[in-house]
């Protein structure tokens, strides 16, 4: 029996998850919570959000532009690998301008999760 | 630049109100002047954290040097303001008696004021007190009114004094903490001069030296092999209230003084906030500028006793200053131990008020002791006060912004400080977060830098070329950012 | 030209209000002091936004981008890097420049300042205040001690890390367990810093349980509940934070201990940003520090509306959009009403004549608005002072319950919305005054 706080929505239900092979979940207020409980017990995953270094194109220089580009994974990745991905992302470079959805890394390490840009950043600062 | 060849005529140790006033006064003459300041910026010692009051000349008995210099100095502030443009206003000072017994003390202050020649001083009835200051407590039974008393921004005052001195040729070295001073022979003139060393290995030679080192005047005196005395720091904690606070009187309100201190006041600052405090607690450590929660409660209680509408809810920040306590009077004299050294030590209240007169007095000591003072014909007493976008009419602001667009970019929204003003502060050598804060007021408002700090960091980096890890709060080890992603 | 509405702030509230007004055919302009749209959202790079509004969990910048796209499509002009210095109330003597305005109200005159466009005046018939909030700082909560470098509010640290790319420190203690502090605990940890502890003075964390789980538990960061922060230590840079457990509500100094660190993050609450509002003479509600508004989200100054965090601090940006959309819609109503009528027939106490005042009663921290319309369906927002598993929100006129709503999982950190149906208050006396309360229910 294990206890988890569900992070799927702001309610944060206190989940009780039984042992395998059933991994029965109680305490959830919705089916997504049940799925989360089972996932936490068997193969915990997290959505990763981070920033990459913003790179300006040749000839462009403007200290008012953001120096970081926010990104996220398209789907959760194994929790154990979060630190590894974040470290890689922090070093990675993304050239401005950006649109939400620009792909930074496609299918990272075969996890099925891609990393996409989450902010529209234009080159012109008014 | 420090030149190792020709010694300076005068080296002034300490750039607080005393050192800065002396520097400006001496810059009227053809003298090579070096100002040696231990902190990252001028006015960062005692002169940064105090009540900012130009006193009314009644708090001290005649016969003290400090009393005479207080009256003289107080009278000089109008002209100084015209020349230097620092924020200053004669709002008047009240001492409120909250109990019939306290009127004895008030009467004593009044007769002291009369004896000292305090201008316009009045003994007041309850009615007169409440008419002069309607926000006074209903418990007021009477008091004293000194219409000549006023409020000043002490660091803006020091900045303008130093700017004037520098403009007229004085050289400022910051981060210069005096470690030793020795007598050496100057090869060129054969004269014996002072060689003054800093902790970080710099060295300045000067024919004359002035010890105006505030909290460390005792250490500097020992470094010069001069008089042995001890400065005992006495901490004063303050609260700062919001500009919109109800509990803001229009005049400075004092309680009746105790034997140790002038008491905890309610001070309407020139820029519109209200200061309450200070406490008076001896502390062992000259670096202890910490505030304590216990004393802060005392301050609010005391302030509310004088001005009942003072509220804890209006507090935006608190800070502490240290008084360089050394006996009852100023110690301003030519050293009788070390040659060509003027001691300016133990300058507690009324040091700020007295500072213009202290400068005159020190100049006279130097003259008497043989320093030749010949007028510098190109001396310029004026310093233009920085333009403040927030004080301009819309039309004037529009015109200014058209000429310099950076006046149109509001960086500190709480205080209305524009990018151009911050750039100007940096150009004048105030390139730390605190330096920018005290010069421009950016970060002093309601949000206390929550909105503008990252912008100011960016502007300092841009204007100075400093990398992110060199940006400090106030120099030394006070780095703001610890890494880059 | 005279805009129908000037919206101050291009965050979620400002954009939503502008879209609402533009959708009704009114001309508006958005002003923001930042160089980008979105307000605080672009620096909130974590996910958790938009579940209610879009059915997706978006990051802050993605949420902002949705609104920004619509604003651009609607062709709403935006003035960025621009500060509103002041807004003058209409002077009937001045009148309006537009000959179509037959009323004598005149327009508001806003003074804007930017380095690109200089200083200029903009006229508008109405104003929507959507300036968001500022963070409570050390001075507000009076933490004693030294004044070293290394003390940041959580939002400032968030900006420095997520937008500027700098690490404010290497070893941090976070004071306050609100969501912003918890999010920053994770962000600092992921950025290579060590978070030594989160210190919370209350018995319960003020942030969501899910954030405790994914921001603290995931990283092994201890949470000290019922601990007061006594002082910050450090001469030039922070060296530690001294904390003590609360015993009988007071710090037990004998059990105080110092947590070594080089950085302190303060996550101790948000305060609505109302510099401009105060200067304009808009009366504020001391319970919220935001403007006092009637059921139309209109302040006591006719034609000036408020919404979003500038009105009261929200938990979910989805709800901010809802509130701002309503504000825009009420503003449109006000603009469209027959021009001859003077706005804001005020009763004593400042509320609209005909509106019923609402005061905060048992367990209620505040209500927004502070008065309700007799006839219309309307939304009332409120917060409970205490957590409850089950509760009952009531509006009472004396003894009689005029409206109630059953609540479950009541938390002070979760705003409660009561949808009051049309006509619910119709039978009340003209001088009725309602009291809002939240009563705990024992039954499940």
């Amino acid at each position: 029996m294990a206890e988890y706080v569900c992070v799927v929505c702001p309610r944060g239900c206190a989940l009780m998850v039984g042992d395998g092979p059933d991994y029965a979940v109680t305490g959830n207020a919705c089916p997504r919570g049940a799925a989360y409980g089972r996932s936490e017990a068997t193969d915990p995953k997290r959505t990763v959000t981070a920033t990459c270094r913003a790179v300006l194109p040749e000839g462009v220089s403007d200290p008012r532009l953001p120096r970081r580009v926010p990104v996220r994974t398209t789907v959760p990745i194994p929790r154990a690998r979060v630190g590894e991905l974040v470290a890689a992302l922090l070093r990675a470079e993304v050239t401005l301008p950006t649109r939400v959805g620009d792909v930074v890394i496609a299918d990272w390490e075969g996890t099925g999760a891609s990393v996409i840009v989450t902010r529209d950043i234009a080159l012109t600062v008014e | 630049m420090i030149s190792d060849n020709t010694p300076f005529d005068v080296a002034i140790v300490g750039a607080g109100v005393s050192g800065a006033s002396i520097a400006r006064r001496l810059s009227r003459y053809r003298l090579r002047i070096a100002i040696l300041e231990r902190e990252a910026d001028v006015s960062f010692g005692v002169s940064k954290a105090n009540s900012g009051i130009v006193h009314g000349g009644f708090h001290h008995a005649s016969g003290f040097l400090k009393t005479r210099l207080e009256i003289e100095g107080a009278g000089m502030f109008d002209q100084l303001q015209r020349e230097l443009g620092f924020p200053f206003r004669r709002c008047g000072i009240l001492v409120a008696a909250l109990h019939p017994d306290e009127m004895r003390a008030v009467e004593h202050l009044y007769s002291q004021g009369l004896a000292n020649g305090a201008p316009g001083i009045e003994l007041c009835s309850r009615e007169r007190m409440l008419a002069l200051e309607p926000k006074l407590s209903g418990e007021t039974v009477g008091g004293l009114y000194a219409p000549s008393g006023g409020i000043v921004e002490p660091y803006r005052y020091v900045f303008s004094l130093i700017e004037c001195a520098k403009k007229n040729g004085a050289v400022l070295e910051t981060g210069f903490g005096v470690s030793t001073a020795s007598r050496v022979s100057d090869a060129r003139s054969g004269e014996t001069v002072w060689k003054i060393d800093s902790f970080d290995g710099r060295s300045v030679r000067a024919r004359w030296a002035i010890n105006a080192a505030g909290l460390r005047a005792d250490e500097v005196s020992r470094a010069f092999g001069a008089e042995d005395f001890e400065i005992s720091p006495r901490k004063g904690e303050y609260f700062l209230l919001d500009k919109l606070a109800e509990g803001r009187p229009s005049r400075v309100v004092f309680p009746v003084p105790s034997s140790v201190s002038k008491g905890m006041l309610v001070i309407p600052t020139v820029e519109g906030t209200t200061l309450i405090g200070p406490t008076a607690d001896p502390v062992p450590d000259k670096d202890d500028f910490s505030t304590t929660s216990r004393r802060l409660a005392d301050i609010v209680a005391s302030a509310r006793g004088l001005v009942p509408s003072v509220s804890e809810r209006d507090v935006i920040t608190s800070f502490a200053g240290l008084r360089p306590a050394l006996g009852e009077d100023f110690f301003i004299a030519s050293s009788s131990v070390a040659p060509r050294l003027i001691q300016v030590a133990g300058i507690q209240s009324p040091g700020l008020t007295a500072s213009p007169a202290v400068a005159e007095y020190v100049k006279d000591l130097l003259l008497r002791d043989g320093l030749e003072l010949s007028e510098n014909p190109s001396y310029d007493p004026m310093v233009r006060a920085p333009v403040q976008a927030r004080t301009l009419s819309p039309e004037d602001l529009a015109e200014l912004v058209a000429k310099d667009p950076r006046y149109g970019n509001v960086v500190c929204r709480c205080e209305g400080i524009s990018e151009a003003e911050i750039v100007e502060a940096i150009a004048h050598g105030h390139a730390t977060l605190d330096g920018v804060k005290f010069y421009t007021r950016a970060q002093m408002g309601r949000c206390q830098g929550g909105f503008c700090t990252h912008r100011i960091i960016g502007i300092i980096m841009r204007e100075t070329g400093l990398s992110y890890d060199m940006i400090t709060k106030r120099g030394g080890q006070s780095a703001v950012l610890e890494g880059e992603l | 030209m005279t805009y129908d509405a000037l919206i101050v702030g291009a965050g979620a509230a400002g954009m939503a209000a502008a879209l609402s007004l533009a959708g009704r055919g009114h001309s508006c302009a958005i002003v923001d002091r930042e160089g980008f749209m979105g307000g605080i959202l672009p620096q909130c790079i974590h996910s958790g936004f938009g579940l209610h509004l879009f059915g997706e969990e978006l990051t802050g910048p993605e949420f902002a981008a949705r609104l920004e796209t619509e604003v651009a499509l609607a062709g709403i002009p935006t003035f960025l890097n621009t500060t509103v210095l002041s807004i003058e109330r209409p002077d009937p003597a001045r009148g309006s420049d537009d000959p179509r305005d037959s009323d004598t109200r005149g327009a508001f005159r806003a003074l804007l300042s930017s380095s690109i466009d200089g200083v200029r005046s903009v006229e508008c018939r109405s104003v929507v205040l959507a300036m968001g909030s500022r963070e409570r700082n050390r001075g507000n909560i009076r933490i004693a001690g030294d004044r070293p470098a290394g003390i940041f509010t959580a939002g400032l640290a968030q900006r420095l890390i997520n937008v500027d790319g700098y690490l404010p420190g290497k070893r941090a203690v976070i004071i306050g367990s609100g969501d912003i502090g918890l999010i920053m605990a994770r962000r600092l940890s992921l950025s290579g810093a060590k978070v030594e502890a989160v210190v919370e003075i209350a018995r319960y964390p003020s942030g969501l349980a899910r954030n405790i789980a994914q921001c603290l538990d995931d990283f092994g960061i201890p949470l000290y509940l019922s601990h007061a922060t006594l002082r910050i230590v450090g001469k030039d840079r922070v060296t530690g934070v001294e904390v003590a457990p609360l015993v009988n509500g007071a710090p037990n100094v004998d059990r105080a201990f110092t947590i070594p660190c080089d950085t302190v993050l303060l996550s101790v609450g948000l305060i609505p940003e109302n510099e401009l509002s105060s200067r304009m003479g808009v009366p504020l509600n001391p319970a919220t520090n935001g403007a006092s508004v009637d059921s139309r989200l209109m302040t006591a100054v006719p034609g000036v509306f408020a919404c979003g965090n500038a009105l009261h601090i929200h938990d979910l940006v989805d709800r901010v959009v809802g509130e701002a959309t309503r504000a825009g819609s009420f503003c449109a109503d006000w603009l469209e009403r027959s021009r001859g009528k003077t706005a804001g027939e005020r009763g004593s106490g400042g509320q609209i004549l005909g509106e019923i005042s609402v005061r905060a009663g048992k367990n209620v921290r505040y209500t927004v608005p502070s008065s309700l319309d007799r006839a219309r369906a309307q939304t009332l927002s409120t917060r409970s002072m205490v957590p409850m598993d089950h509760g009952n929100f009531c509006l009472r006129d004396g003894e009689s319950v005029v409206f109630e709503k059953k609540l479950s999982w009541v938390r002070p950190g979760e705003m409660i919305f009561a949808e009051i149906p049309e006509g619910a208050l119709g039978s009340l006396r003209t001088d009725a005054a309602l009291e809002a309360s939240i009563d705990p229910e024992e039954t499940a």
Side-chain angles (χ1 to χ4, degrees):
Chain A
M1 196 51 95
E3 284 180 44
Y4 303 105
V5 173
C6 181
V7 304
V8 176
C9 89
R11 273 196 80 114
C13 294
L15 304 175
M16 296 288 285
V17 183
D19 301 321
D22 293 332
Y23 297 106
V25 179
T26 52
N28 54 306
C30 78
R32 289 190 303 156
Y36 178 80
R38 279 192 294 277
S39 162
E40 271 303 272
T42 55
D43 177 24
K45 292 187 169 180
R46 295 284 184 271
T47 299
V48 172
T49 58
T51 60
C52 300
R53 179 173 308 138
V55 168
L56 300 183
E58 197 63 48
V60 177
S61 141
D62 189 336
R64 291 172 302 172
L65 288 169
R67 297 174 74 240
R68 305 296 298 178
V69 176
V71 300
R72 70 167 168 85
T73 51
T74 48
V75 293
I77 65 162
R79 197 177 97 188
R81 301 198 73 183
V82 166
E84 188 193 334
L85 175 57
V86 169
L89 289 173
L90 289 179
R91 287 189 306 266
E93 295 184 343
V94 175
T95 306
L96 301 187
T98 65
R99 301 288 296 175
V100 172
D102 288 349
V103 176
V104 178
I105 302 176
D107 189 14
W108 182 68
E109 302 267 306
T111 56
S114 295
V115 178
I116 58 168
V117 169
T118 58
R119 186 178 177 191
D120 291 337
I121 304 176
L123 273 183
T124 49
V125 179
E126 288 173 47
Chain B
M1 290 280 104
I2 303 180
S3 160
D4 246 7
N5 295 330
T6 320
F8 287 93
D9 294 302
V10 183
I12 303 170
V13 180
V17 290
S18 307
S21 299
I22 295 166
R24 178 181 185 254
R25 187 62 186 82
L26 295 181
S27 72
R28 281 230 312 240
Y29 306 108
R30 279 197 265 238
L31 295 170
R32 294 183 63 243
I33 301 166
I35 309 164
L36 310 174
E37 168 53 49
R38 174 199 156 84
E39 300 291 341
D41 204 342
V42 302
S43 195
F44 266 19
V46 178
S47 299
K48 185 168 73 136
N50 56 73
S51 307
I53 295 177
V54 172
H55 286 282
F58 54 81
H59 266 114
H60 306 285
S62 342
F64 287 114
L65 175 62
K66 67 183 177 184
T67 315
R68 170 157 78 86
L69 296 180
E70 175 188 342
I71 295 277
E72 275 176 33
M76 295 166 77
F77 266 84
D78 301 294
Q79 179 173 356
L80 279 171
Q81 183 187 37
R82 277 194 297 273
E83 292 171 346
L84 300 172
F86 53 86
F88 163 65
R89 194 157 50 83
R90 288 194 198 275
C91 60
I93 289 175
L94 295 167
V95 179
L98 302 174
H99 191 274
D101 291 348
E102 292 190 336
M103 282 306 289
R104 303 287 84 71
V106 169
E107 281 150 18
H108 167 70
L109 292 177
Y110 174 70
S111 49
Q112 221 163 233
L114 283 182
N116 295 339
I121 193 168
E122 276 183 46
L123 197 57
C124 305
S125 67
R126 177 177 189 279
E127 233 186 297
R128 175 81 175 127
M129 288 293 283
L130 291 170
L132 285 168
E133 182 48 69
K135 293 192 181 179
L136 274 181
S137 163
E139 308 282 309
T140 308
V141 300
L144 178 149
Y145 174 47
S148 69
I151 44 182
V152 68
E153 275 204 355
Y155 33 86
R156 294 299 323 283
Y157 171 54
V158 172
F159 292 154
S160 63
L161 288 166
I162 295 289
E163 261 176 58
C164 186
K166 282 169 69 177
K167 190 181 188 186
N168 290 296
V171 167
L172 170 69
E173 287 295 324
T174 53
F176 193 116
V178 170
S179 58
T180 50
S182 45
R183 303 292 289 160
V184 299
S185 180
D186 173 44
R188 195 111 60 86
S189 64
E191 224 187 337
T192 316
V193 301
W194 287 108
K195 175 173 176 291
I196 307 168
D197 301 314
S198 74
F199 286 106
D200 66 356
R202 280 176 282 170
S203 191
V204 163
R205 294 183 311 143
R207 298 166 59 225
W208 295 77
I210 300 175
N211 174 16
L215 285 167
R216 293 183 155 81
D218 52 351
E219 297 167 34
V220 170
S221 183
R222 280 193 289 276
F224 275 83
E227 281 82 351
D228 196 5
F229 53 87
E230 196 176 323
I231 301 281
S232 312
R234 226 174 54 235
K235 185 189 289 188
E237 297 181 41
Y238 296 84
F239 265 128
L240 190 68
L241 307 183
D242 194 295
K243 279 184 182 178
L244 296 179
E246 176 58 35
R248 176 184 162 80
S250 53
R251 307 184 199 276
V252 179
V253 180
F254 278 81
V256 159
S258 73
S259 51
V260 205
S261 90
K262 293 183 167 119
M264 296 195 260
L265 337 174
V266 185
I267 306 160
T269 69
V270 199
E271 283 286 338
T273 49
T274 304
L275 263 185
I276 55 176
T279 51
D281 296 306
V283 294
D285 181 1
K286 287 175 182 174
D287 288 319
D288 179 9
F289 289 90
S290 63
T291 51
T292 62
S293 39
R294 187 178 43 97
R295 295 313 257 133
L296 298 185
D298 296 336
I299 294 168
V300 172
S302 174
R304 287 168 60 80
L306 294 169
V307 177
S309 46
V310 165
S311 165
E312 274 206 47
R313 266 199 328 264
D314 295 320
V315 170
I316 49 176
T317 191
S318 67
F319 62 92
L322 293 177
R323 304 171 183 81
L326 170 71
E328 277 234 74
D329 201 359
F330 292 166
F331 173 33
I332 309 179
S334 314
S335 171
S336 45
V337 180
R340 295 189 167 180
L341 173 72
I342 311 288
Q343 301 275 29
V344 182
I347 312 299
Q348 305 179 67
S349 178
L352 168 59
T353 312
S355 57
V358 166
E360 285 296 321
Y361 190 83
V362 167
K363 179 225 48 168
D364 287 335
L365 286 176
L366 289 165
L367 187 62
R368 185 202 64 187
D369 289 355
L371 175 62
E372 58 293 334
L373 302 176
S374 83
E375 298 273 345
N376 169 9
S378 57
Y379 173 72
D380 180 1
M382 309 287 287
V383 162
R384 186 184 61 85
V387 174
Q388 298 174 334
R390 64 194 182 279
T391 59
L392 301 179
S393 70
E395 297 74 30
D396 288 343
L397 180 61
E399 205 183 303
L400 178 65
V401 173
K403 281 196 290 242
D404 184 352
R406 294 170 308 179
Y407 279 102
N409 183 16
V410 176
V411 172
C412 166
R413 187 268 341 275
C414 298
E415 295 289 311
I417 314 299
S418 68
E419 180 186 343
E421 293 162 68
I422 293 170
V423 169
E424 184 175 0
I426 297 166
H428 280 294
H430 308 288
T432 61
L433 285 181
D434 276 3
V436 167
K437 175 161 90 164
F438 286 99
Y439 192 85
T440 66
R441 290 195 61 81
Q443 305 164 82
M444 273 186 170
R446 221 157 264 135
C447 86
Q448 291 284 293
F451 172 66
C452 63
T453 299
H454 62 94
R455 289 155 191 265
I456 295 172
I457 290 172
I459 296 171
I460 295 176
M461 287 172 66
R462 184 189 77 202
E463 295 294 314
T464 62
L466 287 171
S467 56
Y468 76 89
D469 51 342
M470 306 292 295
I471 306 298
T472 64
K473 185 177 194 291
R474 51 168 179 267
Q477 302 301 307
S478 66
V480 179
L481 302 170
E482 295 280 322
E484 209 171 5
L485 252 49
Chain C
M1 75 166 281
T2 302
Y3 292 99
D4 287 327
L6 183 71
I7 289 115
V8 187
M15 289 196 281
L19 286 168
S20 179
L21 277 155
R24 294 268 292 266
H26 294 282
S27 63
C28 37
I30 305 174
V31 188
D32 199 289
R33 63 195 178 193
E34 285 282 7
F36 49 81
M37 311 276 288
I40 204 70
L41 288 167
Q43 72 181 52
C44 300
I45 66 167
H46 54 281
S47 62
F49 306 90
L51 198 59
H52 296 253
L53 202 58
F54 300 114
E56 305 173 54
E57 273 225 352
L58 301 173
T59 59
E62 284 171 296
F63 188 100
R66 301 277 172 106
L67 291 173
E68 198 179 337
T69 303
E70 288 191 57
V71 166
L73 280 172
I76 299 171
T78 58
F79 306 126
L80 299 180
N81 286 308
T82 303
T83 301
V84 178
L85 296 179
S86 62
I87 302 183
E88 267 174 49
R89 292 157 70 155
D91 175 6
R94 191 166 69 229
S96 161
D97 294 347
D98 193 318
R100 288 174 299 172
D101 280 340
S102 59
D103 70 42
T104 54
R105 273 198 307 253
F108 292 89
R109 187 181 288 164
L111 194 64
L112 308 185
S113 177
S114 84
S115 34
I116 313 257
D117 297 311
V119 176
R120 60 216 165 100
S121 240
V122 165
E123 298 217 328
C124 54
R125 298 186 182 89
S126 64
V127 176
V128 178
L129 302 171
M131 296 86 72
S133 61
R134 65 172 190 273
E135 299 183 90
R136 200 167 267 122
N137 55 58
R138 179 192 185 175
N140 297 132
I141 56 171
R142 294 197 284 292
I143 300 177
D146 299 314
R147 297 167 73 80
I151 303 170
F152 305 87
T153 50
L156 173 61
Q158 189 179 53
R159 174 77 182 238
L160 286 167
I161 297 177
N162 292 341
V163 179
D164 299 333
Y166 298 115
L167 205 57
K170 297 229 163 74
R171 267 180 105 186
V173 168
I174 299 176
I175 298 174
S177 63
D179 286 316
I180 303 174
L182 300 178
I183 294 291
M184 286 312 296
R186 177 174 61 185
R187 186 55 54 202
L188 279 168
S189 304
L190 289 174
S191 307
K194 176 130 204 313
V195 179
E196 300 289 349
V198 174
V199 180
E200 168 59 55
I201 198 165
R203 283 205 311 275
Y204 315 93
S206 46
L208 299 170
R210 77 163 182 173
N211 284 332
I212 304 285
Q214 61 189 351
C215 299
L216 299 191
D217 299 338
D218 269 9
F219 296 91
I221 298 170
L223 169 63
Y224 293 96
L225 293 171
S226 295
H227 275 66
T229 304
L230 298 184
R231 59 196 191 103
I232 298 175
V233 185
K235 178 165 144 16
D236 296 313
R237 177 86 197 188
V238 173
T239 57
V241 177
E242 192 184 15
V243 303
L246 292 184
V247 174
N248 294 329
N252 184 335
V253 180
D254 296 330
R255 287 166 54 195
F257 58 98
T258 299
I259 307 173
C261 60
D262 65 13
T263 308
V264 178
L265 253 59
L266 297 169
S267 174
V268 291
L270 300 176
I271 305 171
E273 180 47 71
N274 279 287
E275 308 269 329
L276 184 62
S277 325
S278 313
R279 282 207 300 274
M280 278 177 78
V282 168
L284 303 183
N285 177 354
T288 57
N289 274 300
S292 208
V293 293
D294 65 18
S295 70
R296 297 171 295 170
L297 301 181
M298 191 167 88
T299 68
V301 177
V304 177
F305 297 79
C307 56
N309 272 1
L311 176 59
H312 56 147
I313 302 303
H314 285 257
D315 321 303
L316 296 177
V317 71
D318 308 63
R319 297 296 198 165
V320 167
V321 169
E323 184 179 82
T325 303
R326 288 198 300 280
S329 162
F330 290 129
C331 183
D333 292 342
W334 184 83
L335 286 165
E336 288 159 20
R337 262 188 322 166
S338 82
R339 302 280 195 179
K341 197 153 86 171
T342 52
E345 313 88 282
R346 293 281 160 184
S348 65
Q351 87 267 30
I352 300 288
L353 273 175
E355 292 226 349
I356 302 163
S357 72
V358 180
R359 67 174 182 278
K362 183 177 172 195
N363 288 331
V364 166
R365 187 169 290 285
Y366 68 82
T367 70
V368 168
S370 28
S371 65
L372 292 172
D373 186 86
R374 285 178 179 288
R376 216 178 47 242
Q378 57 214 301
T379 308
L380 182 94
S381 317
T382 186
R383 282 187 189 277
S384 173
M385 303 273 302
V386 297
M388 297 170 197
D389 284 340
H390 298 280
N392 207 35
F393 172 76
C394 282
L395 286 174
R396 283 189 179 85
D397 170 25
E399 290 299 313
S400 71
V401 174
V402 164
F403 172 89
E404 64 186 316
K405 175 179 174 167
K406 290 219 176 306
L407 308 167
S408 59
W409 198 62
V410 177
R411 295 285 179 275
E414 277 229 341
M415 193 178 287
I416 294 159
F417 294 87
E419 302 297 336
I420 300 175
E422 195 175 325
L425 311 177
S427 57
L428 293 175
R429 303 185 316 276
T430 35
D431 62 344
L434 294 174
E435 186 179 271
S437 64
I438 301 175
D439 304 297
E441 297 272 85
E442 301 311 323
T443 55

